[in-house]
Structure formats: C-alpha cells, structure tokens
Amino acid sequence: MQHTSRRLVSTATKLNASNSISPSSLSFFPPKEALKPPADSFEKDAFLPTDWAAVQPTPSTALNAFAHRIGLASIFKDTDVIRQACTHESYLPLFRKHHPGKALPKTNKQLAALGNSLMGMFATEWVNGRYPHLPTRVMKSVVTAHVGPPTCESVAREMGASPLLRWHRTPASETEPPVLHADAMASIPRSLTALIYQERSLHVARKFVHAYFISRQVDLRSMLKFTNPKTTLIELTKKFGRETPKSRLLSETGRFSNSPVFVVGIYSGADKLGEGFGASLKMAEYRAAEDSLHRVYLTRRPDDMLQLPTSTFPTGLGDIFQKGPEADYTAPEPVPDSEVLYYSADRSARR
Amino acid sequence: MRPLLRAQLRSRPANGHVAYLPQIRKLVFEFCDKWPSSANTRTYILNHIQDVAKENPHVEVVVKQRNQKEPIVRGFYVNNRDKVIPLNSLEVNGIQKKVQLLLDSSGAKIVPLKRRAVESMTESTRGIWSGMHADRPIL
C-alpha cells in the first residue's frame, strides 16, 4: 500500500519536473491541435497534453543555467550541445510523430557510449591504483558502484537535469531492452563526459569524473564477504610465504553467561594478522579471519603516491591522438599477487 | 549469503566534498501590473533582479504575469520541490532577503526538531564545514 502511493508520487513528480513549458517559446496557447475537432469530422481527437508537453523544446535559459550549475559554462557556451546531451534516442519516434516534416534532433547515443567507456577507464585506474590488493570481482563491483547506471542516474538528478531530459518510455521489444526514466537519465552524465573530452582534453574529462563520481561514497567493506575466510587466509599466507595462521584467544568475559564476549587474534608466527570479537569462539575466529583479509585487501595507497596511467596521454587540448607533452608518471612497484581464487569472491552468486 | 547484484550497486552523494552543486534551479517572480500590492515587487524587478541573475548564473530567473492576485516568488529545486513566498507585505529590502533565502535553501522540507538542540556559548574548535563555500573546480 505504501509502496503503491510512493510509486504514484514519484511518477507524478517526474511528470511535473519534465513538463514545465516556458511561455516565451510558444506563439499561440492553447495550441491548435488541442482544440476539439467538430463532431462530424473524419479525424478523431487524438491529442494528449503530456505528449504535447514532452515535444516542446527546452528553453535555452534552462540549459545555460544547467551549464553554470555543473561548472562547465566556459566549455558549453553553445546550448545546442547541452540539448544534444540531454536528448535520448527514444525521443525520436515521438518527435517524428508530432513534427513529421522537421529535421530530427541530434541524440546522445554515440556520446553516451564514448562517455561510458571513458568513465569506466577513469574509475578502473583509480580503484586499481588506490586499492592494489582488491580482488578482481570486488574491484569490478566498486567500479560499477562509482560509475554504474544507478549512480549516473543519481548524479543526473542531483545536477538538476530531469526537466531538461527529452525521452520517451519504450517497452521491451524482441531486439531492444525497455527504456525507463533511469536509463535515459543515466545517459546524460556519460554524454557530458564525452563532450568535455571532445571540447577540451582527456585530463579535463577525468577531472569532471573525479569531481562528480569518484568523490561519492562507496562502502567497500560490505562488498568483501567470504564463504570460508579461514581457508582463504591460509591460502593467502602461503602465497606471501608466511607461516600458517594460528588463532589464539586474547581475552574473554562471561563465558557461561547469556552474553559472552570472546576476542580472538590470528597470528602468523609472531605477527598478528587480525582480530575479531564474537559471542562464541567460532564467531570470534571467523571475524578475526575476516579482519585479517580486510586488512590485506583494503590496503589503500596514499593519495600523494597515487599515479594514474592516463597521465601519460598528452596534456594539451585535443584528443589522445595528438602529440604533446605528458604529465609525470612513474610506474608503481609490482604488487605481489594477493588474489586467492578459492571462495574469495565478493557476494556474487557465482563462485 | 545474499548475492551482490551489480545492477543495484550505487554510491551515496557527497555534495561539496570536491565539487558543490547548488540546489536551486529556477526563480519565478509573479506579479500584477496594476494592483498596489505588487508595487514593491515591480520596483524590485525593475532595479535589482538583473544583478541577482548575474551573481547567480546557475539560476534560471523567470518573470511572469499574475494579474489581479498578490505577488509571489517561487523557487524550484533539484529535489523537484518548490518553495513559494508571498511578497505583498514586504518592502524592497524585505524582498531581497526572501530571494536570498530561496537562493540559499536546499529545497528540503522544513521539519520540526525532534529534541532540544545543543546550546553552547563556546565556538566550535574546527569551525563549521560548508559545501557552499568550498573551492569550485575550474574546468
């Protein structure tokens, strides 16, 4: 019941947000097609106000304000470019139906594809550089969390792009998946990234992605879950050439009461790898093994030591195929292979 | 163990940590040409509105007719809410203050406090963080 009312409210707000028509763009209101045809006319009344509103052009004042809000007014002086970035390809059939003779507007399909690749590259190099020991599947999940479809949709909404988006809800067909509001919104930041790359350079696009996507908060610890952390830890210590881990009870209280607390530490020789607490010995040992694995996998490279491989592209304006001076880049020391494939996946269904 | 579905992975916003996104999108001034209650609003629109628009380029400023009614100013925000303030009893500097209130607001609903707020005479040691006053990246 609550879910239904919340869904209706969100649909209503989406409709309200997208259909604010500026009177300055209309020469006549109400439009001629809105007037009812005579009862004996051949054509039936097929006018839908929501469709008419969706087909109206977005005012350039709104696009200009949007460019200033995201800090890109110096790059996007021409508002047609932003209009293209906010036009999803699902809009074209609707436009063709209402304006049969007019030239089709440019869509953001290619821009979104290019921007998606760029964002994936920037996020991957950053995650890989910052957490060098992170298992591969977890790294991919973190990249998805930073630049994936739900985040792109959130960022577009927070930028205030929902009244500027031009799209049309498309049901699933045999060849294409359905187009929902979230899919259309997610295409906007991707297109903006591609546009910045085209208008300026790769480094400026990287700065944009770092400012709006990489700065967002992602909980890595919840993505690292192990089916059998003790066995995984044994394999990991073997890889690093250390002694087999041994768990030792560090402290305990209330052993036979209804709320015991045990603190267990896992040692490899004389070095403590991790510590865990629990209401039972097994629980504490499990947590200690998890803690040891977290301490390895979540090792973070300091920001001043972080070197991004895209710094090797030319720093001047233009695409990556131009020749030019590069920023300083020293390859980091090779990190010992800490990936343990046995049950060390993230919480995905695959093993 | 519940599986981690990649399509549902998302990050949480951190507005102001690196880049700050102002929450206001549009300001709409609605006034009547004839009625005296709109006189101060008309003066404000003639004298001050262009400066406000220049200083806040991220805001779309719209001026609309609202004949035979009291003047209002509407602020539209990024969370799809809007705030409406009537301007009929205000002087020009009062209108300036209300416009500044709309510009500074986040658009969130004003909710009463659940418990008594902490009252202290000593200032905070590290200062109060503000995303609005962080350096904006220049691209």
Side-chain angles (χ1 to χ4, degrees):
Chain A
M1 207 44 204
Q2 208 184 5
H3 165 72
T4 328
S5 60
R6 233 184 278 154
R7 185 155 46 91
L8 288 168
V9 163
S10 67
T11 316
T13 48
K14 278 174 201 166
L15 283 172
N16 285 338
S18 57
N19 292 347
S20 56
I21 313 294
S22 75
S24 54
S25 66
L26 301 167
S27 44
F28 299 105
F29 188 78
K32 284 188 192 140
E33 53 263 28
L35 303 169
K36 271 192 116 151
D40 59 347
S41 79
F42 185 71
E43 282 181 18
K44 295 293 168 195
D45 182 24
F47 178 73
L48 277 173
T50 43
D51 274 359
W52 175 84
V55 169
Q56 296 310 303
T58 39
S60 57
T61 46
L63 298 164
N64 204 15
F66 175 70
H68 276 99
R69 205 175 317 119
I70 56 179
L72 301 177
S74 55
I75 302 178
F76 299 134
K77 290 199 174 59
D78 180 22
T79 52
D80 284 332
V81 153
I82 314 170
R83 200 173 270 129
Q84 186 190 354
C86 295
T87 307
H88 193 256
E89 50 163 348
S90 60
Y91 179 67
L92 291 180
L94 185 70
F95 186 86
R96 227 182 272 124
K97 186 176 151 194
H98 283 261
H99 302 289
K102 279 194 186 172
L104 289 173
K106 289 188 197 166
T107 65
N108 65 6
K109 185 171 181 186
Q110 286 189 329
L111 287 172
L114 171 61
N116 192 30
S117 308
L118 286 170
M119 283 163 69
M121 178 175 70
F122 296 140
T124 310
E125 65 169 1
W126 182 83
V127 173
N128 196 40
R130 205 181 208 220
Y131 302 103
H133 290 280
L134 210 56
T136 311
R137 269 182 246 169
V138 181
M139 190 193 75
K140 285 162 93 172
S141 299
V142 175
V143 167
T144 308
H146 274 292
V147 292
T151 301
C152 284
E153 192 262 328
S154 282
V155 169
R157 226 175 344 105
E158 285 155 33
M159 282 175 173
S162 51
L164 310 173
L165 174 68
R166 298 196 299 174
W167 76 299
H168 187 60
R169 189 177 295 274
T170 316
S173 69
E174 286 100 18
T175 45
E176 300 288 330
V179 175
L180 307 171
H181 186 77
D183 305 324
M185 285 292 277
S187 68
I188 297 180
R190 293 176 188 146
S191 324
L192 288 171
T193 313
L195 279 172
I196 297 165
Y197 165 65
Q198 285 176 350
E199 298 283 324
R200 293 282 185 270
S201 68
L202 191 90
H203 292 267
V204 184
R206 187 177 80 182
K207 213 168 162 187
F208 173 76
V209 171
H210 277 245
Y212 289 111
F213 291 89
I214 307 289
S215 62
R216 288 169 77 92
Q217 290 179 342
V218 171
D219 182 20
L220 269 79
R221 203 168 273 267
S222 62
M223 292 190 198
L224 277 168
K225 275 285 182 181
F226 311 94
T227 316
N228 201 339
K230 281 166 68 179
T231 322
T232 314
L233 185 62
I234 290 166
E235 300 241 337
L236 191 63
T237 45
K238 258 189 229 162
K239 268 205 174 181
F240 277 98
R242 286 172 169 268
E243 293 180 35
T244 20
K246 192 169 159 52
S247 44
R248 295 196 174 104
L249 183 63
L250 296 175
S251 61
E252 60 165 302
T253 177
R255 185 180 273 256
F256 297 110
S257 70
N258 75 336
S259 48
V261 177
F262 299 98
V263 180
V264 166
I266 292 194
Y267 289 81
S268 167
D271 312 316
K272 188 162 91 167
L273 300 177
E275 197 180 281
F277 69 96
S280 66
L281 286 163
K282 274 192 188 171
M283 191 179 175
E285 198 183 10
Y286 184 99
R287 280 218 179 98
E290 260 196 342
D291 182 47
S292 324
L293 291 169
H294 282 167
R295 277 168 195 277
V296 173
Y297 290 140
L298 294 175
T299 315
R300 203 184 114 169
R301 194 174 265 133
D303 291 330
D304 50 332
M305 286 170 62
L306 185 63
Q307 300 268 337
L308 296 170
T310 43
S311 311
T312 53
F313 285 122
T315 47
L317 294 179
D319 59 32
I320 53 171
F321 303 108
Q322 316 257 335
K323 285 196 173 40
E326 300 166 6
D328 292 327
Y329 175 77
T330 43
E333 282 175 22
V335 160
D337 178 26
S338 57
E339 184 137 14
V340 171
L341 294 174
Y342 171 77
Y343 276 131
S344 72
D346 57 350
R347 283 158 62 189
S348 66
R350 290 170 40 224
R351 294 202 186 276
Chain B
M1 213 180 295
R2 270 185 294 126
L4 197 63
L5 300 167
R6 271 270 206 104
Q8 291 172 1
L9 287 171
R10 48 175 71 245
S11 52
R12 278 171 31 232
N15 197 16
H17 285 206
V18 177
Y20 176 69
L21 281 168
Q23 298 295 298
I24 182 160
R25 288 195 280 120
K26 185 156 69 165
L27 267 179
V28 180
F29 292 87
E30 298 183 36
F31 68 102
C32 176
D33 277 326
K34 292 195 184 130
W35 279 19
S37 53
S38 294
N40 290 330
T41 313
R42 275 178 253 135
T43 317
Y44 179 84
I45 288 169
L46 280 170
N47 299 337
H48 297 107
I49 207 171
Q50 283 187 322
D51 297 327
V52 163
K54 267 203 195 97
E55 278 157 31
N56 300 285
H58 56 275
V59 183
E60 193 189 347
V61 179
V62 177
V63 167
K64 259 177 93 167
Q65 266 195 333
R66 193 173 192 245
N67 288 334
Q68 301 178 19
K69 294 239 171 34
E70 308 300 322
I72 54 168
V73 60
R74 252 185 236 270
F76 290 88
Y77 295 91
V78 143
N79 60 358
N80 293 331
R81 289 189 78 250
D82 64 336
K83 281 168 106 87
V84 184
I85 300 180
L87 304 173
N88 49 341
S89 56
L90 298 168
E91 296 294 322
V92 172
N93 57 4
I95 298 174
Q96 279 174 328
K97 277 194 197 154
K98 290 298 183 191
V99 167
Q100 196 54 46
L101 188 153
L102 287 178
L103 290 170
D104 293 338
S105 172
S106 73
K109 192 169 178 191
I110 296 173
V111 158
L113 294 171
K114 280 191 174 176
R115 47 199 74 88
R116 278 186 76 162
V118 169
E119 292 165 14
S120 168
M121 303 295 281
T122 46
E123 286 179 3
S124 53
T125 40
R126 294 171 68 183
I128 302 169
W129 179 79
S130 161
M132 287 167 84
H133 301 97
D135 293 326
R136 299 201 60 187
I138 306 158
L139 292 170

